[in-house]
Amino acid sequence: MSLAAALLAVSAFAQGGNTGDGGPDGDFASLSERLLNLEKKGDGFNLFLNYSSSFQLDDSWHGAFRAKQLRVEMKGNLGEHLSYRIRHRLNKSTVAMSEENFAKATDVMSVTWRFNDKFSIMGGKMCQFWGGFEFDENPMYIYEFSEMVNNMDNFLAGAALLWYPMPGHEFVLNITNSYSGRFADEYGWAPATVDGTLLQEATLPLSYILNWNGNMFGGLLETRWSVGLYNQAKGYQDYMAFLGQKLVLPRFQCYLDWMSAWEGLDRLRLATAEIGGAGFQTNVHYNSFVLKANWQFMPGWNLMVKGMYDTASAPGFDNYRQVTSGVCSLEYYPVQDQDFRVFLAYIGHNYNFDAAVGIPNAFTNRIELGFMYRIKAY
């Protein structure tokens, strides 16, 4: 594989592959092939280590080396019908949550059965099938998430029915838990109330998502759209919509995401923490807009630019929170057949709050120098 081809594969992976699986794995040599000369006979077992680390310097001139991501991933296809995927974070709590009995450190533990070319069913712990390309992207390649995605709890136990009516189009019905711990644990303010009224757990605290993934015009345009709702507490429902569209050119890729949440009960908890009051905020509205571009301006190099605009509203506080964020990264790929990059990145946030909230405006900066390596061990 040429360096240019490897770079394009890495870029396509970083952008997500419209697969609901964080993107394609790319055509990279495994360590077992390179070091042990082991010939791989099938696709039944694939082992990856997702590792990202950097030296970070903030605007107060505080600097430190930090591990950004450390996740082990195993997945494979066992014949034509059965496949599995496991992804576990090695730098997060391994305590089992009270509702699902999965640890927060476990992102994915799922099994998929493919009935035929048209239908599959998935069960276990999974990343919910919300749309948007930022949401689908491998977290290792995200320098900074939008406010909405950064505050979501989206790795949950459930099931998904996948339908492929025609080439390039996938529809998903996804039903999962609404939270991984029991209601009292998730909303651990004892007691959890709204205006002094005690909240009661919903009889079926589940989320329901409809998702469409499209690939059109020979792969030039991709879409990831979804709508869904969460049941959490009795009398309160949260609704969300994600619309993501991506342009894919040989040396330039760009996506635009719009994500919106109408929360009967403040699931993201930003408004609850910032506005205060007696218990949870209700009828909160969040918006996130994400525009991201990758440009492979010469072999072995990539320029990434990302802009985000996030707003929050609550009763009596329309658009009280407005956050404008920017990320720029220069990336170098020194090894032809490895998913490895060295980067220099800038991340900035401008926070503007309505004066009635009483939170001062702020501007933050961060510079990172580091590397990302998706190690294909086998």
Side-chain angles (χ1 to χ4, degrees):
M1 174 189 289
S2 68
L3 184 57
L7 176 58
L8 290 177
V10 171
S11 178
F13 177 80
Q15 289 295 314
N18 217 22
T19 64
D21 199 29
D25 293 324
D27 185 17
F28 300 103
S30 69
L31 297 186
S32 61
E33 292 174 293
R34 286 173 60 95
L35 303 178
L36 303 177
N37 294 319
L38 294 178
E39 182 181 354
K40 195 170 181 182
K41 300 295 186 180
D43 194 36
F45 179 71
N46 298 275
L47 176 64
F48 298 88
L49 294 174
N50 300 277
Y51 179 43
S52 176
S53 183
S54 68
F55 179 78
Q56 300 183 9
L57 185 66
D58 63 24
D59 42 18
S60 65
W61 296 103
H62 173 75
F65 291 95
R66 296 194 63 195
K68 293 166 61 69
Q69 296 285 339
L70 183 58
R71 308 185 192 216
V72 61
E73 182 174 0
M74 293 172 285
K75 60 182 178 179
N77 299 300
L78 304 176
E80 296 183 0
H81 298 285
L82 185 63
S83 61
Y84 66 92
R85 185 182 182 207
I86 305 167
R87 192 173 77 187
H88 188 82
R89 282 177 271 188
L90 301 179
N91 53 351
K92 197 172 182 69
S93 172
T94 57
V95 176
M97 301 299 292
S98 55
E99 179 80 337
E100 297 182 342
N101 205 29
F102 281 111
K104 284 286 188 181
T106 303
D107 290 338
V108 178
M109 177 59 257
S110 64
V111 175
T112 301
W113 180 263
R114 177 176 172 270
F115 292 100
N116 49 45
D117 291 339
K118 298 295 185 182
F119 291 97
S120 297
I121 190 168
M122 177 188 296
K125 188 172 186 181
M126 63 192 67
C127 182
Q128 292 178 304
F129 281 81
W130 291 111
F133 287 91
E134 182 192 49
F135 186 87
D136 182 51
E137 197 166 347
N138 187 322
M140 187 179 74
Y141 294 116
I142 298 286
Y143 295 95
E144 194 78 5
F145 281 105
S146 63
E147 296 281 294
M148 183 176 296
V149 175
N150 191 53
N151 287 279
M152 289 178 65
D153 182 11
N154 49 57
F155 295 108
L156 295 161
L161 177 65
L162 301 93
W163 175 41
Y164 317 97
M166 62 187 73
H169 294 274
E170 174 190 63
F171 293 88
V172 184
L173 171 62
N174 185 206
I175 302 175
T176 72
N177 291 330
S178 290
Y179 29 78
S180 52
R182 295 291 303 194
F183 183 77
D185 300 326
E186 288 288 316
Y187 299 96
W189 300 340
T193 62
V194 171
D195 294 330
T197 301
L198 185 67
L199 289 173
Q200 295 183 347
E201 182 179 18
T203 304
L204 290 174
L206 301 174
S207 64
Y208 306 88
I209 303 167
L210 287 174
N211 167 240
W212 166 53
N213 304 317
N215 189 312
M216 295 162 281
F217 308 112
L220 183 66
L221 176 65
E222 296 182 357
T223 58
R224 289 189 64 83
W225 293 8
S226 68
V227 294
L229 67 89
Y230 287 96
N231 280 323
Q232 297 183 94
K234 288 185 177 179
Y236 297 93
Q237 288 185 330
D238 296 349
Y239 301 90
M240 299 180 72
F242 284 51
L243 301 180
Q245 31 280 315
K246 181 174 69 170
L247 175 68
V248 182
L249 299 174
R251 293 190 176 274
F252 180 81
Q253 306 83 38
C254 178
Y255 69 72
L256 174 64
D257 288 345
W258 169 66
M259 299 167 282
S260 195
W262 297 265
E263 302 197 339
L265 184 66
D266 184 18
R267 180 178 177 84
L268 298 187
R269 309 188 203 185
L270 290 172
T272 297
E274 293 168 344
I275 295 177
F280 280 88
Q281 289 292 322
T282 58
N283 299 318
V284 178
H285 184 204
Y286 296 102
N287 268 315
S288 283
F289 299 89
V290 180
L291 178 62
K292 180 176 180 179
N294 278 283
W295 176 34
Q296 296 82 53
F297 59 91
M298 62 184 297
W301 293 86
N302 182 65
L303 177 66
M304 188 281 295
V305 179
K306 181 179 182 181
M308 296 169 283
Y309 180 66
D310 298 271
T311 66
S313 298
F317 298 91
D318 187 42
N319 280 344
Y320 81 91
R321 184 185 210 273
Q322 301 180 47
V323 183
T324 305
S325 308
V327 184
C328 184
S329 177
L330 182 64
E331 302 170 343
Y332 173 58
Y333 303 81
V335 184
Q336 287 192 15
D337 61 354
Q338 292 295 294
D339 193 351
F340 174 73
R341 71 186 71 179
V342 180
F343 66 85
L344 175 64
Y346 166 80
I347 301 98
H349 298 278
N350 186 29
Y351 297 89
N352 285 289
F353 293 92
D354 190 296
V357 179
I359 300 176
N361 296 336
F363 184 76
T364 65
N365 295 276
R366 188 172 81 248
I367 295 175
E368 294 189 13
L369 176 63
F371 67 88
M372 301 176 185
Y373 190 9
R374 180 167 164 83
I375 304 171
K376 186 176 182 181
Y378 185 81

